[in-house]
Amino acid sequence: MRLFTVAFLLLAAALGALPARAQLVLDGQVRDARTQRPLAYASVFLANTTYGTTTDSTGRFALASVPGGHYEIMVSYVGYQLYQKTVDLQQSLTLAANLLPATTQLDEVVVHATKNRPADYQRFLQQFLGRSAFSRQCRIENPQDLVVYYDEQRRELTAAAPRGVRVVNQALGYRITYYNFDFKVLYNANRCVFVAAPAFEALPTADARQQRRWDENRRKAYAGSLPHFLRSVREGRLPEEGFLVQAMVVEPKSEQAQQRVAQAGDSLAAVFTPEPGLLARVYKAPLAATQLRQPATVGAPRVQLQFPGAVQVTYQGEQPDALYAADVAVARRNSQVGAAAAHRTGAGGVALGRASYDPILEVSELRLLGPPALILPNGYLTNPLSVKVDGYWSFEKVGENLPLDYVPAAAGAPGP
């Protein structure tokens, strides 16, 4: 069940740069870049948010009540290249979007793509949608537009969809269209990379009970998530929000590593083998938010994620998904059997700190890959590919995916 996952959804938005009362208007017109003909019924949206609309018969559009901030404006129209423009929306803006016709080669790739092998497609569904209770309520509306391939020799799974991927999430009440879809799983490196520009659309319903169910499921999806954690780090509210953060060291298994474990003594909370050939030790002392962040610029209200090595993050505010709990229970039993076998044969080993009878919690691991990234007010990162996550955060996938403008009810308003 272990698969390191690079935080995905590269195109993000930095919401809330202006006071909440500053609601702006983004309008404009969409035209053919060569003929200047207006394009009617084109899709216009702000990537990774619920802000979106379509152009009218004259190619005009208007998005009202948009909070100030940095956005990636996207325009999609059949037969044309996806239009992308980054804006810093500090005041109402009128945009002229000129779209270029799509190349014929792109259409040929899609039309003549061979049918996906069932085994490859099932691998993709498991890694993309996930296996949680919410993921089981997701379906892809246009599987025929997906090209999935598994390379047996390199153990790499790739998926592309030049026309985008449409996912309906009946658990959270969203239809999500992923543009610029690029998905890859590198099994040898235990790594998944997913880059896309998603547009969220709330599913319509006249059933008040259905809407309440969606609102509650959205709250559950947000609770304990990576954005929830990062927002708690930024605001200095880790214990209040139910997070326990501990320093973790992962290194190759060796005699020297086992000696360091022995020398650490009672300061350790757990010692375990995350995967063959590695040894991990977690320290008891909880880390404060100030040990995970630092000001990005002196005198500026900007915060960047910054800590040495890796951290283990435990969310204590809810019970984990039942399937995740079952997977962990099996992994624990297998580890205990392996440790007992090693002891009988005199091979030695390290006692596991997570006994089979310990409660199963939502435990995740976080590691910085590159330069520190800014934590945005909404709990997202300016560079999501700068972090690597494992554990519960890699178990939750598209089934728990929320738009960046989601505001949990506990913060004072229902989420969109």
Side-chain angles (χ1 to χ4, degrees):
M1 60 176 286
R2 297 186 58 83
L3 177 65
F4 287 123
T5 306
V6 174
F8 51 82
L9 305 181
L10 183 60
L11 300 179
L15 305 177
L18 297 180
R21 64 179 180 274
Q23 302 296 303
L24 308 176
V25 175
L26 174 64
D27 60 13
Q29 189 174 31
V30 178
R31 293 176 177 271
D32 183 299
R34 296 177 181 175
T35 66
Q36 288 300 297
R37 176 176 63 89
L39 298 179
Y41 312 115
S43 296
V44 182
F45 63 96
L46 306 181
N48 231 335
T49 76
T50 56
Y51 295 105
T53 187
T54 56
T55 59
D56 61 17
S57 58
T58 66
R60 297 188 179 279
F61 69 92
L63 287 172
S65 302
V66 179
H70 295 272
Y71 295 98
E72 189 81 16
I73 302 173
M74 318 290 289
V75 182
S76 173
Y77 195 78
V78 176
Y80 287 80
Q81 297 179 29
L82 185 68
Y83 175 90
Q84 302 175 233
K85 183 178 179 62
T86 302
V87 298
D88 183 6
L89 199 63
Q90 300 299 322
Q91 58 185 3
S92 294
L93 176 67
T94 297
L95 177 73
N98 295 314
L99 275 60
L100 291 169
T103 60
T104 56
Q105 290 85 349
L106 180 63
D107 292 332
E108 290 173 358
V109 168
V110 177
V111 172
H112 298 297
T114 58
K115 187 176 181 179
N116 298 317
R117 290 183 295 184
D120 294 349
Y121 190 71
Q122 287 305 312
R123 280 193 183 97
F124 165 73
L125 287 181
Q126 186 175 90
Q127 296 298 336
F128 175 57
L129 294 181
R131 299 167 58 234
S132 68
F134 289 168
S135 295
R136 291 196 291 270
Q137 299 181 57
C138 296
R139 64 180 175 87
I140 296 177
E141 289 188 312
N142 59 329
Q144 70 281 357
D145 290 333
L146 269 161
V147 179
V148 181
Y149 177 70
Y150 179 65
D151 188 322
E152 294 277 359
Q153 184 174 2
R154 301 177 64 180
R155 298 191 69 235
E156 292 182 3
L157 176 71
T158 59
R163 293 177 179 172
V165 176
R166 296 191 306 274
V167 176
V168 172
N169 187 335
Q170 289 289 355
L172 303 185
Y174 292 116
R175 173 179 282 104
I176 314 171
T177 302
Y178 294 92
Y179 297 92
N180 280 1
F181 186 89
D182 187 8
F183 186 91
K184 182 176 292 186
V185 180
L186 311 175
Y187 289 95
N188 287 334
N190 292 324
R191 189 177 182 190
C192 172
V193 181
F194 174 31
V195 178
F200 284 79
E201 175 189 359
L203 296 178
T205 182
D207 187 336
R209 184 169 59 178
Q210 172 72 287
Q211 187 60 57
R212 287 195 298 270
R213 184 177 72 87
W214 283 342
D215 289 341
E216 175 61 14
N217 285 348
R218 291 170 188 176
R219 184 199 63 78
K220 289 180 179 179
Y222 176 79
S225 65
L226 180 60
H228 183 196
F229 167 72
L230 292 173
R231 183 183 289 183
S232 301
V233 171
R234 193 179 196 278
E235 298 174 356
R237 291 180 49 83
L238 289 172
E240 295 88 344
E241 294 296 325
F243 290 103
L244 169 66
V245 186
Q246 297 161 289
M248 183 175 72
V249 177
V250 179
E251 59 183 330
K253 205 169 190 178
S254 64
E255 290 186 8
Q256 292 79 5
Q258 302 224 15
Q259 289 176 2
R260 283 189 281 272
V261 169
Q263 293 169 357
D266 294 339
S267 64
L268 294 181
V271 179
F272 59 99
T273 301
E275 56 186 271
L278 293 179
L279 187 66
R281 59 184 188 272
V282 180
Y283 290 85
K284 290 182 179 179
L287 299 178
T290 53
Q291 296 172 278
L292 305 173
R293 70 180 192 210
Q294 66 181 32
T297 305
V298 176
R302 303 169 67 195
V303 176
Q304 67 184 23
L305 192 63
Q306 179 70 65
F307 56 85
V311 295
Q312 178 177 280
V313 181
T314 303
Y315 182 63
Q316 303 165 314
E318 65 180 5
Q319 293 298 313
D321 185 279
L323 185 55
Y324 172 84
D327 286 345
V328 171
V330 170
R332 286 182 178 180
R333 285 196 296 270
N334 291 340
S335 296
Q336 294 289 344
V337 169
H343 179 73
R344 287 194 301 270
T345 60
V350 178
L352 298 180
R354 295 172 183 168
S356 59
Y357 50 80
D358 287 343
I360 297 175
L361 302 174
E362 295 183 6
V363 180
S364 304
E365 298 162 17
L366 180 65
R367 181 189 303 274
L368 294 179
L369 291 179
L374 295 179
I375 306 176
L376 304 176
N378 57 8
Y380 286 79
L381 296 172
T382 53
N383 180 14
L385 298 180
S386 67
V387 299
K388 187 178 187 181
V389 301
D390 191 23
Y392 200 76
W393 286 337
S394 66
F395 172 78
E396 294 186 321
K397 298 182 185 295
V398 168
E400 289 72 27
N401 193 13
L402 291 165
L404 297 186
D405 54 315
Y406 172 78
V407 179

